[in-house]
């Protein structure tokens, strides 16, 4: 029997949050006939305008029937959708009836507003993780994950992460071989290397006037080197004192803090997505001492490297 997949949209939804999963499940169904049956759902049905202006047709959520999986999209209209009683009631009902309940990007806010995420590990777009944690303090928000499964609840990061999420769902349903073929046809990673931090860190730290963007890129490529203020200042052709002030003003953090953050994020990518020994990773990213890296992980992520590796392998 085909698995009934519902994709929930609303006014000003992000169209890629819907079209990415739609495409992944469509291709999977080509490889295994009748694997999936898709339904685009909204509160009242009919055409729904996305934030881009493109319109997608939909069925009324109330007429969806029994769903195997519900995927809730994110987007600019998420805040208004959170206030819709019909949407909240529908999501809450699916949490009781569907096998899986999923969100893409800020769709996690809708799941939280429906009361189905309390006490669960969740993620969303890296720009909105702090807001999600502030609005819903009972959630265990993990800002770096591409997607997280906590029981029957799956949440994913920003926009294209809906494709990563869908591939994981397909792998669970039809096996990894089918999911890999879907990824190949979509020309995307089957398992994307690293977490959201690889997209957020250099963007955030390269903000402001962008003066040190090139230096930040060089720092990431030379994390095993001795990246003192003096070394970095020489690279920037500035005196250490002037460099430290200018860097902090432009980047929003001290040179030492920026170095540690880049090391932490690169180390976490390798901890979670490789079998490399922790000691080797510590050396390659410039921590050198595994205990020093463990303490930095505890400060930044609340868990030691070994715990993060076990958690990543369990997903």
């Amino acid at each position: 029997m085909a698995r009934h997949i519902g994709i929930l949209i609303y006014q000003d939804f992000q169209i890629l949050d819907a079209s990415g999963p739609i495409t992944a499940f469509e291709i999977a169904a080509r490889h295994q006939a009748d694997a999936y049956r898709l339904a685009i759902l909204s509160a009242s049905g009919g055409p729904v305008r996305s934030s881009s202006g493109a319109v997608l047709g939909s069925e009324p959520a109330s007429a969806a029937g029994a769903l195997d999986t519900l995927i809730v999209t994110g987007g600019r209209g998420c805040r208004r959708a959170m206030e819709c009683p019909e949407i909240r009631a529908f999501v809450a009902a699916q949490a009781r009836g569907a096998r899986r309940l999923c969100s893409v990007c800020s769709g996690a806010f809708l799941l939280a507003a429906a009361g189905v995420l309390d006490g669960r590990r969740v993620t969303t777009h890296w720009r909105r993780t702090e807001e999600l944690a502030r609005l819903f303090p009972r959630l265990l928000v993990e800002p770096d994950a591409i997607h997280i499964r906590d029981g029957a609840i799956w949440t994913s990061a920003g926009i294209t992460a809906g494709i990563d999420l869908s591939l994981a769902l397909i792998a669970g349903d039809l096996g990894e071989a089918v999911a890999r073929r879907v990824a190949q046809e979509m020309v995307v990673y089957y398992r994307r290397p690293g977490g959201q931090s690889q997209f957020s860190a250099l963007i955030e730290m390269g903000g402001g006037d962008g003066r040190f963007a090139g230096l930040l890129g060089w720092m990431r490529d030379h994390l095993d080197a001795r990246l003192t203020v003096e070394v970095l200042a020489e690279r920037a052709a500035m005196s250490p004192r002037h460099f430290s002030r200018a860097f902090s003003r432009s980047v929003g953090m001290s040179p030492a803090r920026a170095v540690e953050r880049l090391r932490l994020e690169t180390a976490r990518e390798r901890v979670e997505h490789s079998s490399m020994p922790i000691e080797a990773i510590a050396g390659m990213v410039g921590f050198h001492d595994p205990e020093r890296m463990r303490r930095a992980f505890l400060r930044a992520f609340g868990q030691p490297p070994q715990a993060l590796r076990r958690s990543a392998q369990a997903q």
Side-chain angles (χ1 to χ4, degrees):
M1 181 184 295
R3 298 167 180 85
H4 193 189
I5 310 293
I7 298 177
L8 183 65
I9 62 175
Y10 45 84
Q11 194 75 17
D12 286 329
F13 72 100
Q14 167 53 244
I15 197 162
L16 188 53
D17 287 6
S19 61
I22 288 169
T23 303
F25 289 113
E26 174 202 352
I27 294 173
R30 294 183 205 158
H31 289 284
Q32 187 162 320
D34 300 322
Y36 296 109
R37 178 164 57 95
L38 293 172
I40 312 303
L41 308 171
S42 66
S44 55
V48 179
R49 186 176 296 275
S50 70
S51 57
S52 69
V55 175
L56 196 60
S58 68
E59 305 171 26
S62 58
L67 294 178
D68 174 85
T69 303
L70 175 66
I71 299 175
V72 178
T73 60
R76 198 170 63 197
C78 175
R79 178 76 68 176
R80 187 165 60 252
M82 288 167 60
E83 299 171 356
C84 175
E86 291 82 8
I87 288 180
R88 292 200 306 269
F90 174 71
V91 171
Q94 292 304 319
R96 296 188 294 271
R99 180 167 66 98
R100 297 179 299 212
L101 189 62
C102 313
S103 66
V104 182
C105 196
S106 55
F109 285 77
L110 285 179
L111 299 190
V116 302
L117 295 186
D118 287 358
R120 293 187 182 273
R121 295 171 52 243
V122 301
T123 195
T124 188
H125 191 289
W126 60 269
R127 284 193 185 276
R128 302 198 65 180
T129 52
E130 290 185 7
E131 180 187 3
L132 183 64
R134 185 177 67 254
L135 290 177
F136 302 99
R138 294 185 180 182
L139 276 54
L140 307 175
V141 180
E142 297 192 11
D144 193 50
I146 297 295
H147 59 78
I148 288 177
R149 177 185 181 182
D150 190 328
I153 306 288
W154 297 66
T155 53
S156 62
I159 309 179
T160 59
I163 297 173
D164 300 82
L165 170 68
S166 301
L167 291 171
L169 298 177
I170 292 165
D173 293 340
L174 308 180
E176 294 209 358
V178 173
R180 286 183 188 278
R181 287 199 293 271
V182 173
Q184 287 169 349
E185 290 196 31
M186 296 184 73
V187 198
V188 298
Y189 282 113
Y190 171 51
R191 283 203 177 95
R192 194 189 313 208
Q196 293 195 74
S197 59
Q198 65 186 307
F199 309 108
S200 65
L202 290 180
I203 293 172
E204 282 189 61
M205 292 194 289
D209 56 16
R211 180 179 182 183
F212 295 103
L215 177 63
L216 286 163
W218 181 87
M219 289 160 60
R220 184 169 180 126
D221 292 338
H222 296 82
L223 291 176
D224 59 338
R226 189 167 168 267
L227 300 180
T228 63
V229 169
E230 289 75 20
V231 168
L232 298 176
E234 183 178 358
R235 181 82 187 175
M238 300 168 70
S239 72
R241 185 175 179 182
H242 182 207
F243 166 76
S244 186
R245 287 200 304 266
F247 184 95
S248 298
R249 185 167 56 248
S250 175
V251 175
M253 63 183 73
S254 70
R257 177 72 183 97
V259 169
E260 182 178 75
R261 180 168 176 185
L262 289 172
R263 283 176 170 154
L264 277 166
E265 293 179 347
T266 303
R268 181 168 182 167
E269 291 171 20
R270 295 179 182 178
V271 164
E272 292 185 329
H273 300 279
S274 79
S275 58
M276 192 180 302
I278 300 298
E279 295 78 6
I281 294 173
M284 292 176 70
V285 303
F287 282 113
H288 302 299
D289 178 6
E291 176 59 24
R292 181 183 167 200
M293 187 170 86
R294 188 187 74 85
R295 291 196 299 269
F297 266 58
L298 287 171
R299 287 195 306 272
F301 309 126
Q303 299 180 70
Q306 293 85 349
L308 287 172
R309 173 167 283 177
R310 287 193 297 269
S311 178
Q313 291 172 346
Q315 291 182 28

